[in-house]
């Protein structure tokens, strides 16, 4: 096991290098970089009679625009005065030390920026994760035991209808019905807490938080039910139809003993092995459309705006963090697979 883990850790290095190299190269050819966007903002502020930000005051000369010397100063300000290969290897060296730099537009470190956006993403991700796992696994087992029954057909129809409805469409529908739209005004339209949240008691804070998160979580959860439920059902059906279950029945074991002592352990293997990746992903999973509809300032909106604004430290820094976490989650999934099922050997997975 130790040799396999070391091998996988070493393989993360070229994977990370390749991902960062491709992304860095792409950003070099995307038009409208940070320098061009800053020049455009300076021009707009000059025309509106405003002032430039403190970091670039004095660079813009009104109607005369920016001469080459001033443009060179701006490029140096963002580090674009150095060759691309030098900037790339400098970036990698800093990332190895977990120094992701500072955002061009938010004027704070990338780490602090990501941490400030995490409450929204964690709220959506963890609630979705726990609700899906705690609901879909019992439902999938019940559907497998009652395969072909009216209960199985009705629940399959409902979850497939939910799966077919896009999350953002459901979110808009929930807001119209229950968020003060054309019908009921039961839930708030935006944010994860109220403006007076700090003045509330701890119990009222919990209620206020749950009140705000109800509609976004429903919109996020519904479309996830189908995959996990049907995966659970099919996994249990496959085990129920195996020979050892028939043998156990001939020995006089009850249905519950067979299901929960023998079938359950084997059928849960593909579900449990995906648990580490799903759990880690829950901290960083985010939906741009859900956040936009419910006015939630999370990682989804941050990533979207960073791409539009060509905020390269945020784009590349978050990509590095999420890729690294994804690789670690995949390694943990493989390790859990072997720990749960001793028949699997690391030598066969290498």
């Amino acid at each position: 096991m130790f040799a396999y883990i070391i091998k996988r850790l070493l393989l993360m290095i070229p994977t990370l290098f390749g991902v960062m190299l491709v992304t860095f190269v792409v950003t070099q050819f995307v038009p409208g970089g940070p320098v061009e966007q800053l020049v455009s903002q300076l021009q707009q502020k000059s025309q509106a009679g405003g002032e430039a930000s403190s970091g670039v005051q004095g660079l813009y000369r009104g109607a005369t625009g920016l001469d080459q010397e001033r443009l060179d100063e701006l490029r140096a300000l963002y580090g674009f005065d150095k060759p691309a290969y030098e900037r790339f290897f400098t970036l990698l060296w800093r990332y190895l030390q977990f120094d992701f730099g500072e955002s061009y537009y938010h004027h704070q470190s990338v780490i602090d920026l990501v941490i400030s956006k995490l409450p929204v993403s964690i709220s959506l991700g963890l609630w979705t994760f726990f609700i899906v796992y705690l609901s879909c696994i019992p439902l999938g087992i019940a559907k497998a035991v009652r395969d072909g029954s009216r209960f199985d057909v009705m629940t399959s129809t409902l979850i497939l209808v939910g799966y077919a409805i896009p999350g953002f469409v459901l979110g808009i529908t929930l807001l119209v019905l229950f968020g003060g739209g054309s019908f009921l005004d039961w839930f708030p339209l935006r944010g994860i807490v109220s403006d007076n949240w700090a003045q509330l008691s701890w119990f009222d804070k919990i209620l206020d938080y749950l009140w705000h998160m109800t509609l976004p979580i429903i919109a996020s959860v519904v479309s996830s039910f189908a995959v996990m439920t049907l995966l659970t059902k099919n996994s249990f059906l496959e085990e129920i139809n195996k020979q050892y279950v028939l043998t156990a029945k001939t020995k006089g074991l009850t249905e519950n003993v067979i299901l929960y002592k023998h079938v359950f352990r084997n059928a849960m293997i593909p579900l449990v092995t995906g648990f580490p990746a799903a759990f880690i992903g829950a901290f960083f999973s985010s939906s741009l459309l859900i956040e936009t509809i419910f006015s939630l300032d999370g990682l989804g909106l941050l990533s979207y705006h960073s791409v539009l604004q060509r905020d390269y430290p945020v784009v590349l820094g978050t990509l590095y963090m999420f890729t690294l976490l994804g690789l670690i989650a995949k390694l943990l999934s493989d390790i859990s697979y072997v720990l749960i099922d001793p028949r699997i050997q690391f030598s066969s997975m290498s």
Side-chain angles (χ1 to χ4, degrees), residues 99-116:
D99 177 13
F100 300 104
E102 186 175 287
S103 168
Y104 291 156
Y105 296 92
H106 298 276
H107 303 295
Q108 65 181 117
S109 69
V110 174
I111 289 290
D112 292 339
L113 191 58
V114 170
I115 292 175
S116 68

Side-chain angles (χ1 to χ4, degrees), residues 60-72:
Y60 192 67
R61 294 293 183 262
T64 61
L66 287 172
D67 56 24
Q68 187 60 42
E69 181 181 354
R70 303 301 179 183
L71 287 174
D72 291 340

Side-chain angles (χ1 to χ4, degrees), residues 304-350:
Y304 176 69
H305 290 152
S306 299
V307 172
L308 290 182
Q309 297 169 338
R310 307 295 190 266
D311 197 348
Y312 295 151
V314 177
V315 173
L316 296 173
T318 53
L319 177 67
Y320 180 88
M321 287 188 282
F322 298 160
T323 303
L324 180 60
L325 287 171
L327 293 172
I328 294 174
K330 184 65 172 66
L331 174 60
L332 292 176
S333 296
D334 291 345
I335 294 174
S336 64
Y337 202 108
V338 176
L339 293 177
I340 293 172
D341 190 353
R343 296 170 297 178
I344 304 297
Q345 300 296 323
F346 278 112
S347 57
S348 63
M349 300 174 62
S350 58

Side-chain angles (χ1 to χ4, degrees), residues 62 120 142-143 165 170 238 243 271 273 284 309 315 319:
V120 171
K143 286 172 63 63
I165 300 175
L170 179 60
E238 182 181 357
Q243 184 64 40
L271 303 176
T273 52
F284 299 95
Q309 297 169 338
V315 173
L319 177 67

